Amino acid sequence: MKNSIFSILVVLGILSSCSSQKNLVDSAPFEIGTAYCQDWYGGKEESGAGVEVKIPVANLDGYRVNSLFFRGQQSYVKIQDEEGQKFVVATMLAKKAMPPKDMVMHADPKEEVGNSPATKELQKDFPFELAYDEAVLSYYKGDVINYVKITGIKHKQALIYPTRSKE
């Protein structure tokens, strides 16, 4: 009896893991060129920083690109046309280091009610295991979402935007 219950649980576990797999393919039904990324830094702290990923594409007829998964982040994409070449472009903002909030440490746990839990424990798992030069692009064909892995993303020299002096 115990063996049959165990067997049923194993089969259910296998079936549920199969259904949660993404439709990840190695090649897209449209053309993808050599992708590159480029870090950028604003001239002021409030300007921010991040990385922009550009993927040359062609023959997107009937497909809608949606988002890009890259270096632990996800970003919606847009299509840009530069000198007759179409690019899928995603901008990933750098995660700012947040200073820790004041926490109330007290012998009475009721006094610590306003403290928030550590954010590391609350972060969701990233859905793909990717190398530093890999990304996953999601796209739709009709109502079906698919994912294609992009490898060999080249890293270009960073862009640093200067601050303007007030004259």
Side-chain angles (χ1 to χ4, degrees):
M1 179 67 178
K2 286 184 181 181
N3 286 339
S4 62
I5 292 174
F6 179 73
S7 299
I8 291 171
L9 290 176
V10 168
V11 170
L12 287 176
I14 291 171
L15 291 176
S16 67
S17 68
C18 290
S19 66
S20 66
Q21 293 291 323
K22 307 280 187 204
N23 292 335
L24 185 60
V25 295
D26 290 328
S27 62
F30 47 88
E31 294 177 38
I32 296 178
T34 302
Y36 68 90
C37 67
Q38 192 166 28
D39 293 321
W40 58 270
Y41 302 93
K44 296 181 178 180
E45 185 177 343
E46 60 270 11
S47 301
V51 63
E52 183 176 74
V53 183
K54 284 191 169 184
I55 306 164
V57 293
N59 302 326
L60 279 175
D61 301 332
Y63 297 96
R64 294 185 334 260
V65 290
N66 183 45
S67 60
L68 188 76
F69 298 85
F70 183 67
R71 296 186 184 164
Q73 293 187 40
Q74 177 184 5
S75 174
Y76 288 108
V77 298
K78 58 186 173 186
I79 301 290
Q80 285 183 350
D81 195 3
E82 295 179 13
E83 298 175 10
Q85 172 68 56
K86 288 188 185 220
F87 288 90
V88 171
V89 179
T91 302
M92 312 287 185
L93 297 178
K95 297 177 183 175
K96 291 186 178 184
M98 297 296 283
K101 292 183 179 180
D102 290 337
M103 293 184 67
V104 176
M105 301 303 288
H106 199 276
D108 182 6
K110 292 178 184 174
E111 294 293 323
E112 297 180 6
V113 168
N115 293 341
S116 59
T119 56
K120 263 188 176 178
E121 298 169 6
L122 296 178
Q123 290 178 348
K124 293 191 320 187
D125 290 332
F126 192 66
F128 302 101
E129 226 176 278
L130 301 171
Y132 195 69
D133 67 340
E134 293 179 333
V136 171
L137 177 66
S138 68
Y139 63 93
Y140 284 93
K141 174 67 174 177
D143 291 338
V144 177
I145 189 163
N146 293 291
Y147 302 86
V148 62
K149 183 184 273 192
I150 300 167
T151 59
I153 297 173
K154 305 293 181 200
H155 198 102
K156 287 192 170 184
Q157 186 174 0
L159 291 174
I160 301 173
Y161 297 104
T163 57
R164 295 186 180 185
S165 59
K166 295 182 181 177
E167 295 179 17

